Amino acid sequence: MIELPRKAKGERPSYFEDGTLDSMLSMLLALAGEVVVLRERLDSAERIIDGSGLLTDRIDAYRPSPEVAAKREALRAQFIDLVMRPVQQEYENLQEKAARQESYHKAIDLCISG
């Protein structure tokens, strides 16, 4: 397996005026790359395990039990939280900034009126 450097040399390319959009694009492309790798690995596993196609048919027909479905839902929610973490952090930062500005404006209004 080829080892790639953890960080690219040079500046990250910018495609949009808003750096947040560039970050979102990077996240989306990284996620898409992971999906492609997972699909290839799953395809390889299915071909190795069952060349006849019976396993694939069984996988397609499989219906998880309520317990398995609940576990998968928890894993899905965890994954979405992980992927969306940068967006959530930015949203929280904006809320904190708005709260500080509101507090500042209230203090100014009190000074002016009081």
Side-chain angles (χ1 to χ4, degrees), residues 26-46:
S26 294
M27 287 170 42
L28 180 64
L29 292 175
L31 188 56
E34 290 297 319
V35 169
V36 168
V37 169
L38 287 170
R39 288 183 138 205
E40 288 176 356
R41 290 183 62 86
L42 178 59
D43 179 65
S44 296
E46 288 175 353

Side-chain angles (χ1 to χ4, degrees), residues 79-93:
F79 178 74
I80 289 170
D81 286 346
L82 176 67
V83 170
M84 296 302 295
R85 184 176 296 147
V87 176
Q88 181 64 32
Q89 287 173 341
E90 182 65 23
Y91 176 72
E92 290 169 2
N93 290 340

Side-chain angles (χ1 to χ4, degrees), residues 5-6 8-9 16 19 23-24 27 29 33 38 40 50 52 62 69 74-75 82 86 92-93 97 101 110 112-113:
R6 291 227 177 249
K9 292 183 180 177
F16 302 100
S23 295
M24 292 292 290
M27 287 170 42
L29 292 175
L38 287 170
E40 288 176 356
D50 185 32
S52 67
Y62 176 75
L75 289 170
L82 176 67
E92 290 169 2
N93 290 340
K97 183 178 178 182
Q101 286 177 341
L110 281 172
I112 292 173
S113 65

Side-chain angles (χ1 to χ4, degrees), residues 9-76:
K9 292 183 180 177
E11 288 190 29
R12 175 176 280 188
S14 180
Y15 302 101
F16 302 100
E17 287 181 25
D18 183 355
T20 305
L21 290 176
D22 282 328
S23 295
M24 292 292 290
L25 178 62
S26 294
M27 287 170 42
L28 180 64
L29 292 175
L31 188 56
E34 290 297 319
V35 169
V36 168
V37 169
L38 287 170
R39 288 183 138 205
E40 288 176 356
R41 290 183 62 86
L42 178 59
D43 179 65
S44 296
E46 288 175 353
R47 290 172 189 273
I48 290 168
I49 292 170
D50 185 32
S52 67
L54 294 175
L55 178 64
T56 303
D57 292 342
R58 288 182 66 195
I59 290 171
D60 291 340
Y62 176 75
R63 299 294 173 257
S65 68
E67 294 82 17
V68 171
K71 187 172 185 173
R72 287 181 177 182
E73 180 57 34
L75 289 170
R76 188 178 302 114

